[in-house]
Amino acid sequence: MVLFQPLPSQEALIHLGAKYSPCMRRDKQVHDLIREKRAIERNSACCVRNDRSGCVQTSEDECSSTLAVWVKWPMHSSTPQLNGKSRQYGSVCHQDPRICLEPASVPPHEWSDDITKWPVSVCNKDTCHHVGVGQKLIR
C-alpha cells in the first residue's frame, strides 16, 4: 500500500529555506541561454596535452593543435559504441562510459549519446573519487 502525503505549503517551503515559490514562471531567455550553452557543451571534447600532463574539456578552436590533441568522437579511433553505433558526442575528460563504475553505463541504463545528460562518474577502473559538501574531488 502506498500512502501519499500532501505537498508542503508555500509558507512551509519558505520557512525551510526555499528562495522561490514552486510556481515560478518559465523564463524564455534563461531557457534559451541554457539551450545554447548545452549545444556548445555537447559539441565539446577532451583536449589532451601531448605530454599527457593533463586535459581540459573545450571546443576544437580553443584546443592548441601544437600542444595538444582534441579527442572528438566519432572522428577519433577511441570512439565507443552505443547500441551498435559509434557515439556521436564526446569524449569527456575523465569520464568514459566504458570504464566508469559508479554509476556504470550498462544495459538497460546505458548513458545517453548526449554528453550533457551524463551523470558525474565518481569511480572508474583506475581511481575512485568521493565528493563531500564543499570538497574537491580527492583520490
Side-chain angles (χ1 to χ4, degrees):
M1 176 197 236
V2 177
L3 297 175
F4 293 97
Q5 296 183 355
L7 294 174
S9 68
Q10 285 187 359
E11 183 179 316
L13 289 172
I14 292 168
H15 178 73
L16 292 171
K19 303 249 186 258
Y20 305 99
S21 68
C23 62
M24 280 181 50
R25 68 176 174 81
R26 186 177 175 104
D27 188 309
K28 184 180 178 339
Q29 288 180 319
V30 169
H31 285 275
D32 289 346
L33 180 63
I34 291 169
R35 200 174 4 266
E36 277 179 42
K37 296 290 185 185
R38 282 190 180 147
I40 292 167
E41 183 179 354
R42 189 176 298 112
N43 290 300
S44 70
C46 190
C47 179
V48 182
R49 291 186 192 141
N50 291 336
D51 65 0
R52 301 272 194 216
S53 63
C55 61
V56 64
Q57 190 74 20
T58 189
S59 67
E60 185 174 18
D61 293 339
E62 294 176 357
C63 182
S64 168
S65 60
T66 306
L67 302 173
V69 174
W70 196 57
V71 181
K72 177 69 174 149
W73 300 336
M75 286 79 80
H76 195 266
S77 61
S78 69
T79 305
Q81 301 283 305
L82 177 65
N83 300 323
K85 298 178 185 170
S86 293
R87 287 185 175 270
Q88 299 300 301
Y89 299 101
S91 63
V92 176
C93 296
H94 307 289
Q95 298 254 129
D96 189 324
R98 295 169 291 193
I99 64 168
C100 289
L101 301 175
E102 190 182 312
S105 177
V106 294
H109 305 290
E110 288 181 292
W111 297 0
S112 165
D113 191 33
D114 182 350
I115 64 173
T116 65
K117 296 180 180 170
W118 282 12
V120 174
S121 176
V122 293
C123 287
N124 64 42
K125 291 177 183 167
D126 299 322
T127 59
C128 194
H129 303 279
H130 295 283
V131 181
V133 178
Q135 294 179 333
K136 294 182 179 180
L137 289 176
I138 54 174
R139 190 169 185 183

